Amino acid sequence: MKSTKDTYVDAIRGNDSSLKLEDKEKQLEIINDFVIELFSKVTIDEIVWCIAKKVIARLGFVDCVVYLYDEAENVFIQKAAHGPKNPIEFDIKNPIKIAIGEGIVGSVAKSRKGEIVSDTRLDARYVIDDDYRLSEIAVPIYHEDQVIAVIDSEHPEVDFYTPDHLELLKSIAAISATKIMHAKAMGRIQEYQKNLELEVTKKTQELQNTISKLKKSNEDLESFAYAASHDLQEPIRTIASYLQLIKKREKNLSVESGEFIDFAVDGSIRMRRLLEGLLAYSKLKKIDEEFEVICMDHILEVIKANLYTQIQETQAKISVNNLGKIVGDKTQILQLFQNLISNAIKFRKKDEAPVIEISMIEKPKLKVFKIKDQGIGIDTSFYEKIFSLFSRLNTIDKFSGSGIGLALCKKIVENHNGEIDLKSEINKGTTFFISLPVI
Ligand SMILES: Nc1ncnc2c1ncn2[C@@H]1O[C@H](COP(=O)(O)OP(=O)(O)OP(=O)(O)O)[C@@H](O)[C@H]1O
Ligand SMILES: [Mg+2]
């Protein structure tokens, strides 16, 4: 007579298909091995094949199929098998579909209760798959009230399956349910991540396209501004010269008419300045090859010489504190600081000599230049507006200008990958901050 151990060993080898599981210890061992095996499984496919190959095969069942619920079709589809339905590797022969309620598999899916059918000839629900077999066991794998899969095994002999088999399969089903739900959730997360990545790639592409379009339209606008400001200068000059000629030649011109001509000439001069400013603005390009090491103290000397008359007339005091060196376009950097210093002189308080301090502080990877005046100041609400083309906060009779200087400054700073900012208080003064990256 065979010992329990020998019987079990036979069962593992599949030698004795009529094995009845009597040994609870062996049941636990199978469950234990299954749990360990299940640890390494990630996808639902891997899990159902693990049930078919690592549990059913060891029980000595001649046939077993695991059906998985397919949400899209609302049916159970054969996904993994052991026995005749699994001729090679992880392949399943003619996988069939079963609707909920159909056959013994569909019934247990509906009732969520495992069943043993001792004699299939007496059960009208029995559906023939690959062969006619006389007994069947079917156990649902479910989570809460949702059936995920069904483990189904058939045997050629009548009354093959025991309550022990049913209990063991129920345990396996309960363990598998959690793992399958986890795999499903992981699958959904992965899909979500994939969609998210696709969406990010799509949006990045769209953004790049928009940037290219914007760049192109900016270039178009700049070349238009250049052409317009360049070509309009000549007719303006002609209008002014002919008006002046009329005034000179016309002896009987009334005083009033003479004044009107002067206004018109003034207007055309202002318009020419605006066009010159616009031309200068549209000509400002970022040309990295023209970048060089610039000694800022020397630049300040040149600026002071350029603004000599303005400084003398206003008695401006300009202090410069060791500004160091930067890398950039020399002409543009000179233009930037000259515009800011000329503004600091221009927007002084009435009857007060301007006092201007220019300094620099080094920060990690940055040089921050400060141009500080004690002039009329700027209201916080205009901090952004003043950098737009032609925007001025004062009337022309109080302060001359075209409103181009700061727009130029902003573009120059951007050409150098820097930032321009300000802090100001009405009647106390303004400080402009220029941050330039250290190259
Ligand atoms: N240091 C400053 N103090 C007070 N207000 C200023 C100062 N700098 C600029 N502003 C204000 O910002 C406006 C825009 O300055 P921006 O240099 O662009 O133009 P502008 O000096 O009027 O003309 P332009 O520079 O073309 O001759 C000025 O008109 C002025 O109202
Ligand atoms: Mg200015």
Side-chain angles (χ1 to χ4, degrees):
M1 209 182 122
K2 278 183 180 176
S3 70
T4 315
K5 188 169 175 249
D6 290 340
T7 315
Y8 178 69
V9 168
D10 282 347
I12 293 172
R13 291 183 184 141
N15 293 348
D16 184 355
S17 60
S18 65
L19 172 82
K20 304 280 185 289
L21 270 184
E22 285 145 1
D23 192 340
K24 286 279 175 199
E25 233 178 77
K26 296 301 166 197
Q27 284 193 33
L28 282 174
E29 201 178 308
I30 291 178
I31 292 172
N32 195 39
D33 289 351
F34 173 65
V35 170
I36 292 168
E37 194 71 36
L38 211 56
F39 258 124
S40 59
K41 307 299 174 223
V42 179
T43 64
I44 298 176
D45 250 30
E46 285 173 348
I47 298 165
V48 291
W49 277 105
C50 182
I51 299 171
K53 295 210 175 225
K54 300 289 168 184
V55 179
I56 308 303
R58 287 182 63 178
L59 288 172
F61 291 1
V62 290
D63 148 276
C64 172
V65 177
V66 183
Y67 291 76
L68 206 61
Y69 178 61
D70 184 286
E71 270 174 53
E73 291 192 53
N74 192 26
V75 289
F76 285 84
I77 304 176
Q78 295 182 332
K79 277 285 169 195
H82 158 73
K85 291 283 288 186
N86 171 222
I88 43 159
E89 287 285 296
F90 293 94
D91 198 23
I92 187 155
K93 195 171 144 194
N94 304 327
I96 62 162
K97 295 174 185 177
I98 296 268
I100 300 173
E102 188 191 348
I104 295 159
V105 168
S107 283
V108 302
K110 198 172 175 186
S111 67
R112 274 181 277 132
K113 284 197 176 83
E115 266 193 61
I116 292 174
V117 176
S118 307
D119 189 342
T120 54
R121 289 170 300 188
L122 307 176
D123 198 317
R125 296 173 302 170
Y126 183 73
V127 175
I128 305 173
D129 184 354
D130 58 321
D131 205 352
Y132 198 104
R133 297 188 188 91
L134 295 177
S135 54
E136 180 166 350
I137 187 168
V139 174
I141 299 177
Y142 63 95
H143 178 77
E144 292 171 353
D145 55 357
Q146 185 193 349
V147 181
I148 315 161
V150 177
I151 305 171
D152 178 60
S153 174
E154 293 181 15
H155 200 276
E157 289 168 26
V158 171
D159 205 17
F160 173 76
Y161 300 101
T162 67
D164 277 346
H165 287 137
L166 191 62
E167 281 316 302
L168 181 78
L169 286 190
K170 277 183 184 173
S171 304
I172 295 294
I175 297 163
S176 307
T178 325
K179 187 75 185 175
I180 291 175
M181 287 313 283
H182 183 254
K184 270 191 170 180
M186 287 307 287
R188 274 198 293 269
I189 290 172
Q190 270 165 4
E191 199 174 328
Y192 177 75
Q193 258 174 349
K194 216 169 95 191
N195 288 342
L196 205 69
E197 275 166 25
L198 283 175
E199 192 64 17
V200 169
T201 318
K202 201 174 127 207
K203 289 278 176 234
T204 313
Q205 190 57 48
E206 280 173 13
L207 206 68
Q208 268 164 356
N209 290 346
T210 314
I211 290 171
S212 320
K213 277 188 200 155
L214 211 67
K215 232 172 145 183
K216 170 86 180 61
S217 104
N218 249 349
E219 279 166 14
D220 288 351
L221 205 68
E222 273 172 17
S223 44
F224 168 75
Y226 176 81
S229 47
H230 185 266
D231 296 353
L232 287 176
Q233 278 186 351
E234 187 45 40
I236 289 289
R237 212 174 286 137
T238 314
I239 293 168
S241 356
Y242 277 99
L243 282 173
Q244 280 163 331
L245 207 64
I246 292 172
K247 198 181 169 191
K248 215 163 137 190
R249 285 210 183 163
E250 203 55 66
K251 303 284 176 236
N252 300 326
L253 206 65
S254 70
V255 179
E256 207 178 27
S257 299
E259 274 178 13
F260 288 166
I261 289 178
D262 288 344
F263 289 149
V265 172
D266 269 2
S268 72
I269 292 170
R270 256 188 294 130
M271 187 144 179
R272 249 181 66 197
R273 288 213 186 105
L274 284 176
L275 290 173
E276 275 162 15
L278 197 59
L279 193 64
Y281 183 82
S282 58
K283 271 192 202 159
L284 267 186
K285 289 252 167 349
K286 182 182 181 181
I287 309 165
D288 291 354
E289 298 92 74
E290 288 179 15
F291 277 18
E292 57 186 305
V293 177
I294 306 165
C295 170
M296 289 305 290
D297 294 313
H298 173 68
I299 290 283
L300 261 291
E301 288 308 315
V302 179
I303 293 171
K304 278 194 213 163
N306 290 349
L307 299 177
Y308 182 77
T309 322
Q310 233 184 316
I311 294 170
Q312 288 302 308
E313 277 174 9
T314 59
Q315 294 293 301
K317 288 188 180 61
I318 303 178
S319 68
V320 180
N321 257 335
N322 198 15
L323 302 182
K325 290 188 168 91
I326 60 157
V327 173
D329 180 316
K330 204 169 184 174
T331 319
Q332 292 189 12
I333 293 292
L334 189 134
Q335 212 174 350
L336 165 68
F337 281 81
Q338 186 161 315
N339 277 338
L340 292 172
I341 295 167
S342 127
N343 275 355
I345 298 173
K346 182 163 60 171
F347 299 105
R348 64 188 179 276
K349 275 181 260 175
K350 207 170 171 252
D351 305 325
E352 259 185 45
V355 178
I356 302 158
E357 290 165 47
I358 301 152
S359 57
M360 183 272 290
I361 42 169
E362 289 201 54
K363 292 200 173 170
K365 297 185 182 170
L366 269 188
K367 279 190 173 164
V368 184
F369 294 90
K370 285 206 276 181
I371 296 99
K372 184 171 184 237
D373 66 44
Q374 298 177 3
I376 59 169
I378 301 166
D379 190 273
T380 331
S381 56
F382 298 122
Y383 280 10
E384 261 186 55
K385 192 183 170 219
I386 53 169
F387 292 104
S388 312
L389 264 177
F390 307 127
S391 80
R392 310 183 65 251
L393 308 179
N394 309 281
T395 50
I396 201 83
D397 54 316
K398 277 196 183 158
F399 297 98
S400 65
S402 323
I404 285 175
L406 284 180
L408 277 171
C409 290
K410 188 161 189 252
K411 207 168 169 193
I412 293 172
V413 172
E414 281 167 3
N415 282 352
H416 288 77
N417 303 315
E419 276 175 22
I420 183 163
D421 207 353
L422 70 142
K423 247 191 197 154
S424 186
E425 218 178 308
I426 294 285
N427 277 327
K428 289 227 164 121
T430 306
T431 306
F432 278 90
F433 301 90
I434 313 277
S435 312
L436 296 175
V438 174
I439 304 171

